Amino acid sequence: MRIVLVGPPGAGKGTQAAYLAKNLSIPHISTGDLFRANISQGTDLGKQAKAYMDAGNLVPDEVTNAMAQDRMEKPDAENGFLLDGFPRNVSQAGVLDELLTAGGLKLDAVLDLEVPEDEVVKRIAGRRICRNDSAHVFHVTYSPPKKEGVCDVCGGELYQRDDDSEETVRTRLEVYHTQTEPIIDHYRAQGLVVTISALGKVTEVTERAMEALGRA
Ligand code: AP5
């Protein structure tokens, strides 16, 4: 399956993507995680992306599109992928459409996670991620690690993302509403959008998602 996951910052895209990718046997491709890995490795791409991310703005399309395309062309993505955080504006959606069409491929679904803004703010405020791998995600209240400050998966140090400050979150939400939400209409016109509530336990949301994707 080829799926795009969409939803506001803190909706639980990364959390759900980890389970869905496993259940569906497809790679989880997160542009946010790819940027963070580049930042921690000190690459040129990471240096270019950091200032935009810290301010809560989108990294320029040319940088993002090239990185996403490169990842989607890796052998493990040949039979499908779960995109998390890409596309993030209508221009990126157009580029993805062109890439897929050129390869004779198509998306199966765009899974839209709906969460009220007050819940998103709570989820982001309590989020802690691992220094070794930003896909290892915890929450101080909702899914605390066994040992405070330590990743259950790899023992890495847990920290709060630089872009999870109150001010940056406000910018990210605004960017989501103005630039990312319009892609939902873009894909609705193609009959691809399935919207689910992302409230409730993580496992309940995964079940809801699998059902919406026709894979329950
Ligand atoms: P990115 O990393 O994609 O951030 P985001 O979209 O803002 O999403 P988040 O990672 O904040 O949240 P999430 O929905 O994954 O939630 P999570 O599962 O962690 O992007 C970061 C930046 O990179 C962007 O701002 C931009 O600068 C740049 N970027 C990325 N892609 C780009 C692109 N295509 N173009 C240009 N720039 C790009 O969950 C949040 C918390 O809630 C966690 O603590 C979790 O434990 C908890 N939680 C999850 N589910 C539940 C539940 N059901 N109940 C209770 N708690 C829950």
Side-chain angles (χ1 to χ4, degrees), residues 190-214:
Q190 298 178 25
L192 289 171
V193 177
V194 277
T195 301
I196 62 161
S197 162
L199 286 177
K201 287 188 191 150
V202 170
T203 49
E204 288 168 357
V205 180
T206 309
E207 276 169 31
R208 226 173 272 149
M210 291 295 284
E211 209 166 296
L213 295 170

Short mmCIF file of all heavy atoms in Angstrom, two decimals, residues 190-214:
data_model
loop_
_atom_site.label_atom_id
_atom_site.label_comp_id
_atom_site.label_asym_id
_atom_site.label_seq_id
_atom_site.Cartn_x
_atom_site.Cartn_y
_atom_site.Cartn_z
N GLN A 190 -9.48 13.50 -5.42
CA GLN A 190 -9.07 12.22 -6.03
C GLN A 190 -9.75 11.03 -5.33
O GLN A 190 -9.42 9.88 -5.60
CB GLN A 190 -7.54 12.06 -5.93
CG GLN A 190 -6.76 13.13 -6.68
CD GLN A 190 -5.24 12.97 -6.52
OE1 GLN A 190 -4.73 11.88 -6.27
NE2 GLN A 190 -4.51 14.06 -6.65
N GLY A 191 -10.63 11.34 -4.36
CA GLY A 191 -11.37 10.29 -3.66
C GLY A 191 -10.51 9.45 -2.72
O GLY A 191 -10.82 8.28 -2.45
N LEU A 192 -9.42 10.03 -2.21
CA LEU A 192 -8.46 9.24 -1.44
C LEU A 192 -8.53 9.43 0.07
O LEU A 192 -7.89 8.69 0.83
CB LEU A 192 -7.02 9.58 -1.89
CG LEU A 192 -6.61 9.11 -3.28
CD1 LEU A 192 -5.26 9.71 -3.66
CD2 LEU A 192 -6.51 7.58 -3.30
N VAL A 193 -9.27 10.46 0.53
CA VAL A 193 -9.17 10.83 1.95
C VAL A 193 -10.08 10.00 2.85
O VAL A 193 -11.26 9.85 2.59
CB VAL A 193 -9.49 12.34 2.13
CG1 VAL A 193 -9.45 12.72 3.61
CG2 VAL A 193 -8.52 13.19 1.34
N VAL A 194 -9.47 9.42 3.92
CA VAL A 194 -10.26 8.82 4.98
C VAL A 194 -9.90 9.54 6.27
O VAL A 194 -8.73 9.64 6.63
CB VAL A 194 -10.04 7.28 5.14
CG1 VAL A 194 -10.85 6.50 4.17
CG2 VAL A 194 -8.58 6.90 5.03
N THR A 195 -10.91 10.07 6.95
CA THR A 195 -10.67 10.84 8.17
C THR A 195 -11.09 10.01 9.37
O THR A 195 -12.17 9.41 9.38
CB THR A 195 -11.48 12.16 8.14
OG1 THR A 195 -11.08 12.90 7.00
CG2 THR A 195 -11.24 12.98 9.39
N ILE A 196 -10.19 9.95 10.37
CA ILE A 196 -10.56 9.25 11.62
C ILE A 196 -10.22 10.15 12.81
O ILE A 196 -9.35 11.02 12.71
CB ILE A 196 -9.81 7.89 11.79
CG1 ILE A 196 -8.30 8.09 11.87
CG2 ILE A 196 -10.20 6.90 10.72
CD1 ILE A 196 -7.57 6.89 12.48
N SER A 197 -10.91 9.89 13.92
CA SER A 197 -10.55 10.59 15.15
C SER A 197 -9.29 9.95 15.72
O SER A 197 -9.18 8.72 15.77
CB SER A 197 -11.69 10.48 16.16
OG SER A 197 -11.19 10.78 17.44
N ALA A 198 -8.33 10.78 16.14
CA ALA A 198 -7.10 10.25 16.75
C ALA A 198 -7.15 10.39 18.27
O ALA A 198 -6.12 10.34 18.94
CB ALA A 198 -5.88 10.96 16.18
N LEU A 199 -8.37 10.54 18.81
CA LEU A 199 -8.53 10.58 20.27
C LEU A 199 -8.65 9.16 20.79
O LEU A 199 -9.07 8.26 20.08
CB LEU A 199 -9.79 11.37 20.64
CG LEU A 199 -9.71 12.89 20.48
CD1 LEU A 199 -11.06 13.51 20.81
CD2 LEU A 199 -8.62 13.48 21.37
N GLY A 200 -8.28 8.98 22.05
CA GLY A 200 -8.36 7.65 22.67
C GLY A 200 -6.99 7.02 22.77
O GLY A 200 -5.97 7.66 22.43
N LYS A 201 -6.98 5.76 23.21
CA LYS A 201 -5.70 5.07 23.39
C LYS A 201 -5.01 4.86 22.04
O LYS A 201 -5.69 4.70 21.02
CB LYS A 201 -5.93 3.70 24.03
CG LYS A 201 -6.30 3.76 25.49
CD LYS A 201 -6.30 2.33 26.02
CE LYS A 201 -6.93 2.30 27.40
NZ LYS A 201 -7.58 1.06 27.69
N VAL A 202 -3.69 4.78 22.08
CA VAL A 202 -2.92 4.57 20.85
C VAL A 202 -3.42 3.33 20.11
O VAL A 202 -3.62 3.36 18.89
CB VAL A 202 -1.41 4.44 21.19
CG1 VAL A 202 -0.62 3.98 19.98
CG2 VAL A 202 -0.86 5.77 21.72
N THR A 203 -3.67 2.24 20.86
CA THR A 203 -4.10 0.99 20.21
C THR A 203 -5.49 1.14 19.57
O THR A 203 -5.76 0.58 18.52
CB THR A 203 -4.16 -0.16 21.24
OG1 THR A 203 -4.88 0.30 22.38
CG2 THR A 203 -2.77 -0.62 21.65
N GLU A 204 -6.35 1.94 20.23
CA GLU A 204 -7.70 2.16 19.67
C GLU A 204 -7.59 2.92 18.35
O GLU A 204 -8.30 2.63 17.38
CB GLU A 204 -8.57 2.97 20.64
CG GLU A 204 -9.00 2.19 21.87
CD GLU A 204 -9.61 3.09 22.95
OE1 GLU A 204 -9.64 4.33 22.77
OE2 GLU A 204 -10.01 2.54 23.98
N VAL A 205 -6.70 3.92 18.32
CA VAL A 205 -6.54 4.71 17.09
C VAL A 205 -5.98 3.83 15.97
O VAL A 205 -6.42 3.91 14.82
CB VAL A 205 -5.63 5.95 17.35
CG1 VAL A 205 -5.48 6.76 16.07
CG2 VAL A 205 -6.19 6.82 18.46
N THR A 206 -5.03 2.95 16.32
CA THR A 206 -4.47 2.05 15.31
C THR A 206 -5.59 1.15 14.73
O THR A 206 -5.68 0.98 13.51
CB THR A 206 -3.36 1.15 15.91
OG1 THR A 206 -2.43 1.97 16.58
CG2 THR A 206 -2.64 0.36 14.83
N GLU A 207 -6.43 0.62 15.61
CA GLU A 207 -7.53 -0.24 15.14
C GLU A 207 -8.45 0.53 14.20
O GLU A 207 -8.86 0.03 13.14
CB GLU A 207 -8.36 -0.75 16.33
CG GLU A 207 -7.77 -1.99 16.98
CD GLU A 207 -8.45 -2.32 18.30
OE1 GLU A 207 -9.65 -2.03 18.45
OE2 GLU A 207 -7.74 -2.85 19.18
N ARG A 208 -8.77 1.77 14.61
CA ARG A 208 -9.64 2.62 13.78
C ARG A 208 -8.99 2.86 12.41
O ARG A 208 -9.65 2.82 11.38
CB ARG A 208 -9.77 3.97 14.50
CG ARG A 208 -11.16 4.51 14.58
CD ARG A 208 -11.15 5.76 15.46
NE ARG A 208 -11.33 5.48 16.87
CZ ARG A 208 -10.81 6.22 17.85
NH1 ARG A 208 -10.08 7.28 17.61
NH2 ARG A 208 -11.03 5.90 19.10
N ALA A 209 -7.69 3.09 12.42
CA ALA A 209 -6.97 3.36 11.17
C ALA A 209 -6.97 2.13 10.27
O ALA A 209 -7.23 2.24 9.06
CB ALA A 209 -5.54 3.80 11.48
N MET A 210 -6.70 0.97 10.85
CA MET A 210 -6.66 -0.26 10.04
C MET A 210 -8.03 -0.52 9.42
O MET A 210 -8.13 -0.94 8.26
CB MET A 210 -6.22 -1.46 10.91
CG MET A 210 -4.77 -1.41 11.35
SD MET A 210 -3.58 -1.51 9.98
CE MET A 210 -3.65 -3.24 9.57
N GLU A 211 -9.07 -0.25 10.20
CA GLU A 211 -10.43 -0.44 9.70
C GLU A 211 -10.71 0.53 8.53
O GLU A 211 -11.22 0.13 7.48
CB GLU A 211 -11.42 -0.16 10.83
CG GLU A 211 -12.71 -0.92 10.72
CD GLU A 211 -13.46 -0.83 12.04
OE1 GLU A 211 -12.95 -1.36 13.06
OE2 GLU A 211 -14.52 -0.20 12.03
N ALA A 212 -10.31 1.80 8.74
CA ALA A 212 -10.54 2.82 7.69
C ALA A 212 -9.78 2.48 6.41
O ALA A 212 -10.20 2.82 5.32
CB ALA A 212 -10.11 4.19 8.21
N LEU A 213 -8.63 1.79 6.57
CA LEU A 213 -7.84 1.42 5.40
C LEU A 213 -8.30 0.09 4.79
O LEU A 213 -7.70 -0.43 3.85
CB LEU A 213 -6.35 1.30 5.79
CG LEU A 213 -5.66 2.60 6.23
CD1 LEU A 213 -4.28 2.32 6.82
CD2 LEU A 213 -5.54 3.58 5.06
N GLY A 214 -9.35 -0.48 5.40
CA GLY A 214 -9.88 -1.76 4.89
C GLY A 214 -8.98 -2.92 5.22
O GLY A 214 -8.99 -3.94 4.53
#
